[in-house]
């Protein structure tokens, strides 16, 4: 092999020097004042918006906003943070959806606590990466303490471990990856594995989260691998149906690799009977994963921790701190009862985490994670616990659960609405019911009301389908939301839906179709 050399005649290219203005944008000793100023300006913009918003959204449409974003020429910089922030008002801040507003009642988005925002500001500036010790140092130890703390709250025992993830979907994916590998432990050799994979099944509630299906697909399972088990009247999985399904699968030559219990279904806030599921799974030798993405807030609840009884017997647990711990996105974790199963996510790269580091007991979190470079999300929860403590967080979650019970009461006593089951957490699923003529317009009227409400920006509610019919959903996660807010939003919905039904029925009277 010849080594390329410059010929004496050729002048080597002049070394490039970035302009001083570009270098000044790098955070370092020389730019700390500029950093402080830029961040303070950004915080001021948010402060102005947060103080000024009188509704959770503006109802802007993609068609209206897209041209504004498209007009920005990304190849022609503005040169300073102030100008970019001015522009940001138009492309983002003015029309953002504000979860802190008490009439944002749609999805599982919480208002966020200030210590967590402080954590976010610190972690992003320091920019630790949680893959290896040599990129993180104390950050790795802090994440590990929080994993241990969470595992202890769950009651997973002395061998527990886990890792922070980007969200519940990734936590569920990793849990099912581990369960799949455990189920395949005896399938030695590629042929045995290939024969087993299409026979693997996952049982979960009919009200379970779609990320279970998506995970099954990513894990190369059969398209019908996820079996939706029927629920009871309160939308909790029926344990007897789980037991029957395990028997049926075995008779059909199928292998149940996991049962996924849900501690807080996304729509109904229902908590599967975890202790019964644990008993069934233990007897059948099946992995129990508990998806507590939503219900994990009960881990710190001063009054409702018992609703999670049985969770301590799970093999793996998903928690989303960014749902019920009032943390900003992203903040989630996967916990496992037996730390050894995390080896299924372990790969050693010479450049990053060579195997000898395991012998040297160097804590490299990448050995447990599906990600490589990874945010120090744990810092947000750390500062939250250090400033507020767990009881205060749990009290906030308790308050929204209580508020949801009041909201359920309000809707169920209101003759304009029909309400589904009372949530164990903080959702209310209901629909406007036209009386008299126009009853058959109920589906369309509820769809219309939701869209009209969103377009007004005055409130945001969610929608879902229950037994084939369109329903509306409140998800309460904001202690600032009052029962009066709920009542006001119900009036807005009834007005929109009622007008829709009225317009449709009178239109049919005046100009009959046919
Ligand atoms: C939200 C949710 C998930 C998904 O979590 P992400 O953080 O959005 O990825 C999974 N399971 C349940 C029950 C959820 O409510």
């Amino acid at each position: 092999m010849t080594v390329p050399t410059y010929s004496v005649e050729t002048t080597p290219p002049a070394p490039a020097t970035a302009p001083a203005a570009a270098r000044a944008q790098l955070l370092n000793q020389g730019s700390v004042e500029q950093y402080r100023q830029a961040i303070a300006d950004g915080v001021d913009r948010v402060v102005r918006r947060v103080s000024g918003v009188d509704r959770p959204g503006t109802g802007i449409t993609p068609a209206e906003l897209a041209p504004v974003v498209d007009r920005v020429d990304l190849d022609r910089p503005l040169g300073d943070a102030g100008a970019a922030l001015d522009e940001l008002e138009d492309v983002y801040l003015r029309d953002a959806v504000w979860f802190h507003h008490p009439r944002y009642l749609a999805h599982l988005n919480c208002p966020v606590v200030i210590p967590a925002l402080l954590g976010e500001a610190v972690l992003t500036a320091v920019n630790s990466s949680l893959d290896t010790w040599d990129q993180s140092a104390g950050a790795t130890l802090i994440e590990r303490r929080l994993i241990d703390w969470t595992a202890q709250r769950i009651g997973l025992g002395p061998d527990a471990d886990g890792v922070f993830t980007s969200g519940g979907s990734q936590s569920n994916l990793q849990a099912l990856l581990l369960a799949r590998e455990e189920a395949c432990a005896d399938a030695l050799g590629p042929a045995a594995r290939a024969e087993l994979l299409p026979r693997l099944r996952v049982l979960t509630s009919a009200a379970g989260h779609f990320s279970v299906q998506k995970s099954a697909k990513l894990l190369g399972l059969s398209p019908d691998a996820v079996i939706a088990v029927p629920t009871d009247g309160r939308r909790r999985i029926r344990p007897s149906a789980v037991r029957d399904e395990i028997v049926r699968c075995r008779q059909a030559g199928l292998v149940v690799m996991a049962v996924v219990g849900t501690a807080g279904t996304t729509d109904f806030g229902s908590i599967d009977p975890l202790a019964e599921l644990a008993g069934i799974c233990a007897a059948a030798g099946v992995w129990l994963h508990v998806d507590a993405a939503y219900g994990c807030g009960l881990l710190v609840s001063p009054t409702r921790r018992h609703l999670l009884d049985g969770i301590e017997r799970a093999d793996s647990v998903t928690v989303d701190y960014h749902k019920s711990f009032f943390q900003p996105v992203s903040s989630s974790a996967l916990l496992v009862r037996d730390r050894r199963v995390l080896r299924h996510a372990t790969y050693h790269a010479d450049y990053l985490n060579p195997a000898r580091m395991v012998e040297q007991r160097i804590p490299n979190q990448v050995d447990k994670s599906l990600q490589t470079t990874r945010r120090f999300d744990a810092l947000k929860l750390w500062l939250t616990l250090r400033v507020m403590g767990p009881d205060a967080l749990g009290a906030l979650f308790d308050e929204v659960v209580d508020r949801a019970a009041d909201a359920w009461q309000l809707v169920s006593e209101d003759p304009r609405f029909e309400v589904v089951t009372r949530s164990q957490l903080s959702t209310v699923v209901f629909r406007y019911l036209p009386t008299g003529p126009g009853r058959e317009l109920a589906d369309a009227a509820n769809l219309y009301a939701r869209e009209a409400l969103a377009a007004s920006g005055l409130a945001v509610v969610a929608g879902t389908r229950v037994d084939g019919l369109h329903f509306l959903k409140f998800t309460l996660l904001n202690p600032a939301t009052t029962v009066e807010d709920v009542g006001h939003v119900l009036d807005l919905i009834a007005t929109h839906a009622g007008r829709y039904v009225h317009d449709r029925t009178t239109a049919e009277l005046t100009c009959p179709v046919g």
Side-chain angles (χ1 to χ4, degrees), residues 25 34 37-39 41-42 45 78-87:
Q25 295 293 343
Q34 190 175 342
Q37 193 58 54
I39 298 296
D41 282 354
R45 302 294 177 128
L78 298 167
D80 78 70
L85 283 171
D86 286 343
E87 182 182 82

Side-chain angles (χ1 to χ4, degrees), residues 139-169:
T140 283
L141 302 180
I142 286 175
E143 170 166 304
R144 290 182 152 219
R145 278 292 305 278
L146 288 169
I147 288 292
D148 290 346
W149 177 84
T150 308
Q152 216 160 36
R153 285 262 160 186
I154 297 171
L156 285 178
D159 299 324
D161 198 359
V163 70
F164 271 64
T165 71
S166 62
S169 303

Side-chain angles (χ1 to χ4, degrees), residues 252-448:
L254 303 169
V255 176
V256 178
M257 64 168 237
V259 169
V260 178
T262 312
T265 59
T266 314
D267 274 347
F268 306 105
S270 45
I271 300 170
D272 288 340
L274 302 177
E276 280 181 79
L277 289 183
I280 292 167
C281 287
V286 171
W287 183 287
L288 174 62
H289 174 63
V290 173
D291 178 357
Y294 177 10
C296 61
L298 297 177
L299 291 171
V300 287
S301 161
T303 63
R304 291 182 173 84
R305 172 62 181 80
H306 62 277
L307 292 176
L308 294 178
D309 282 353
I311 195 173
E312 69 284 355
R313 294 163 70 188
D315 293 291
S316 55
V317 178
T318 287
V319 296
D320 259 3
Y321 309 105
H322 63 212
K323 286 194 179 145
S324 47
F325 276 68
F326 304 93
Q327 298 293 294
V329 180
S330 55
S331 184
S332 176
L334 171 70
L335 291 306
V336 295
R337 148 179 315 288
D338 177 358
R339 63 178 70 239
R340 287 169 306 179
V341 299
L342 291 169
R343 74 185 181 283
H344 298 306
T346 308
Y347 287 82
H348 291 291
D350 292 336
Y351 83 93
L352 189 67
N353 59 335
R356 73 185 149 74
M357 285 186 170
V358 177
E359 285 134 44
Q360 295 168 330
R361 305 184 75 81
I362 294 174
N364 289 330
Q365 294 291 83
V366 71
D367 295 354
K368 310 170 190 175
S369 175
L370 300 186
Q371 294 168 259
T372 306
T373 306
R374 190 160 54 82
R375 289 167 57 80
F376 181 25
D377 285 319
L379 183 61
K380 297 179 282 193
L381 181 59
W382 177 271
L383 284 180
T384 301
L385 291 177
R386 297 312 297 139
V387 174
M388 300 173 62
D391 290 352
L393 275 182
L396 287 176
F397 190 54
D398 265 355
E399 193 175 341
V400 295
V401 176
D402 284 338
R403 194 69 32 78
D406 295 342
W408 181 85
Q409 193 71 33
L410 193 67
V411 187
S412 60
E413 286 167 0
D414 190 327
R416 298 172 297 179
F417 299 100
E418 163 188 33
V419 63
V420 192
T421 174
R422 180 171 165 176
S423 171
Q424 291 169 282
L425 296 177
S426 64
T427 61
V428 186
V429 180
F430 64 99
R431 67 195 320 236
Y432 175 80
L433 260 195
T435 46
R439 248 188 118 80
E440 72 289 351
L441 294 172
D443 260 17
N446 281 282
L447 277 172
Y448 173 83

